[in-house]
Each structure stands twice: as C-alpha cells, then as structure tokens.
Amino acid sequence: MKLVVVSAGLSSPSSTRLLADRLTAATLAHVDAEPEVIELRELATEIAQHFVTGFPPARLAAALDAVAGADGLIAVTPVFAGSYSGLFKSFFDVIDKDALTGKPVLLGATGGTARHSLVTEHALRPLFAYLRALTLPTAVYAASEDWGEDGLARRITRAGAELARFMAPATADAPPDVDTAAAIAPRSLTGAITSVDPAGGFEVVPFEQRLAALRAR
C-alpha cells in the first residue's frame, strides 16, 4: 500500500511539515505502507505553469500521479486569512476531478491561534467533499500553543489510527488491530459512533416504549 502526504508549508522547517510527519508516523504505526511526502513549496512554479499552459511539468505530473495512486492521503495546510493557503488550493485545483473519489483523506492544518481551529470543518471538508474524497472523522488542527500538549498527541494518534483502518479495512476472518480499534470511538450496533462501549452490551429500548413511558408521566 502507498500513503501519500501533501504538505503546503512554506518554510523549512515548518510546523505544517512537522504535523504532516507526526500524522504519517501515527498512521504507519497501524498499517504497513510506503510513505511519499510531497512538499508543495517545491512545486509552486510548476503549479503556476500548469494553470497557464494546461500541461503539468514532469515533477508536478509525478506528484499528481502519486496522489491519484495512493491508498490513503494526508493533506496538511497552514491557515491563511482564515482558510487553506492559495498554494494548497491551487494544487488540488489542477488534480484530476476523479483522482480522489472514495479515497480516505486525513485533514490537518496549522495556525498561530486556536481561533482558526474550525478551518478543517468550514474550508477543508467542503473542498474534499467536492472532490468526492472520503474525509476521516478526526481532523487535526495544531495552534502554536498546542505543540507539546497531550491533547494534540491524542488527536494525532486517533486520526492516524482512523486512516490506517480505512486504508486496510478488516475482513470477516481478520479483525481490526486491537490498538487501532482502541484509538477509534466505539460504534453502536448500526455502526454509528457512540460514547457507549459496545463491549459492555446494549439494551435497545423501542421508541414506542419510550414514548409510552413519557405519556404515562
């Protein structure tokens, strides 16, 4: 399997690349995959040329092919003006419209303040929904003050386990890895995420019975 990581950080080193690397490590802890990192700052000129000419230069073409052929994708951007960066958006503007269909994508973003923490929901998810990608439940935003905190480490671990699970879904005779399953929220009998541990058992009360109990009060 192949895991492709797209990082839109503009400096070297950058917090965006650091988050991408940590998400990669968290994913590879649960699935055997070959990682490939694409630094968009190194392709900025080629992306601009593609917009003008309609043809991707060799390095950009290789990056686009890598994303299209990936079994899983990690996409991380710094926050600019409350949204993803222009470089990040430009790269996904030139990718084939069907390249991400059904592909599991782990979203990440970095910023200087926690006020931008919803950028993954109001900007990144709609972009990848348009591309028909399968965005994972846990997206990771890292503000400057988050680095070194347990909360960020837990979100990274959880997100990486989710991506690994979707890259290599369990079969009937091969249950999911115990560590992977533990990092993901338990699911109800219908598959929905729930705060109740299914190992403890469920008592399903019919809606009509609940309604009758309310009327009797």
Side-chain angles (χ1 to χ4, degrees), residues 22-217:
R22 291 187 62 180
L23 290 171
T24 301
T27 302
L28 295 179
H30 300 288
V31 67
D32 184 14
E34 176 187 353
E36 178 179 347
V37 179
I38 298 172
E39 285 276 12
L40 294 187
R41 66 186 184 86
E42 299 175 356
L43 298 173
T45 301
E46 285 89 341
I47 293 172
Q49 289 174 349
H50 188 5
F51 274 115
V52 175
T53 66
F55 297 97
R59 286 201 308 167
L60 177 58
L64 296 174
D65 288 343
V67 171
D71 296 290
L73 177 67
I74 296 174
V76 187
T77 178
V79 174
F80 279 82
S83 186
Y84 38 65
S85 72
L87 179 60
F88 183 86
K89 178 62 162 58
S90 295
F91 178 76
F92 288 101
D93 278 345
V94 300
I95 200 167
D96 183 88
K97 63 182 180 64
D98 297 319
L100 298 184
T101 300
K103 194 182 301 296
V105 179
L106 169 52
L107 305 175
T110 58
T113 172
R115 289 180 297 173
H116 295 305
S117 60
L118 289 178
V119 68
T120 56
E121 309 306 314
H122 70 69
L124 290 175
R125 284 198 195 278
L127 170 62
F128 286 93
Y130 174 78
L131 294 170
R132 300 192 297 278
L134 178 63
T135 55
L136 300 180
T138 301
V140 181
Y141 174 80
S144 297
E145 63 266 26
D146 290 332
W147 295 103
E149 297 294 330
D150 290 341
L152 177 60
R154 286 194 299 269
R155 294 197 301 275
I156 290 173
T157 298
R158 181 190 183 100
E162 287 177 357
L163 179 56
R165 181 177 182 182
F166 279 92
M167 287 178 66
T171 61
D173 57 350
D177 179 84
V178 174
D179 293 335
T180 301
I184 301 174
R187 294 179 179 272
S188 71
L189 297 176
T190 62
I193 293 178
T194 173
S195 60
V196 180
D197 187 351
F202 286 94
E203 180 183 358
V204 180
V205 180
F207 177 74
E208 293 81 0
Q209 183 176 335
R210 291 182 178 274
L211 188 59
L214 289 174
R215 288 173 177 169
R217 291 181 180 178

